[in-house]
Amino acid sequence: MSAEKEVAKLFYDYAEAYRRGDVDACQKCFAIPCTFIGSQLTIHMESHDAFVKHWDESHKVMSKVGVVGSSVEAVKVFMLDTNVALAAVMYERLDADGQVFNRGSGTYSVFKGDDGWKVIAYIMHGPETWLGELVRPSKIPDGR
């Protein structure tokens, strides 16, 4: 399997674990420590317990508004080196009937260590800023 496919699989595995409510399987997709960044927050998780606490809190919030799972809509992987990549992920949050509650996206820094690909940082943002459509410039601007 190519590195790009391995990275993409990480996010499909996470979405499946999230649907099952399996916090331990979700945490295995993330390195510890890891960082979540959003427009109104930054959370640096130094331990498995900190990850579980954050997951439980966000899961409760999502459950209160009717979200029970998520589905990966698209993954675009940008390999930066043999063991470092960025992943642009578009996802849908689903209600109990399997209907789309809302859409979101995130940009993930991932690293391949001895135990496979893991997320080391996650930036939450809306689908309107999904990096999956990013086009590489033909040359790097020199600032002039």
Side-chain angles (χ1 to χ4, degrees), residues 109-125:
S109 297
V110 294
F111 176 80
K112 185 175 185 179
D114 292 338
D115 55 350
W117 290 97
K118 304 282 185 183
V119 173
I120 56 175
Y122 166 39
I123 302 170
M124 299 173 277
H125 49 86

Side-chain angles (χ1 to χ4, degrees), residues 18-69:
Y18 187 92
R19 274 194 295 280
R20 292 191 317 265
D22 187 342
V23 66
D24 290 325
C26 287
Q27 192 274 307
K28 287 179 183 175
C29 297
F30 290 80
I32 297 296
C34 63
T35 303
F36 287 21
I37 303 166
S39 63
Q40 302 295 318
L41 74 144
T42 298
I43 303 168
H44 189 67
M45 288 171 280
E46 295 279 348
S47 67
H48 174 76
D49 290 343
F51 182 94
V52 170
K53 180 178 184 267
H54 169 71
W55 193 89
D56 283 344
E57 289 170 357
S58 63
H59 206 260
K60 284 177 188 172
V61 168
M62 290 289 107
S63 294
K64 282 183 183 178
V65 297
V67 173
V68 298

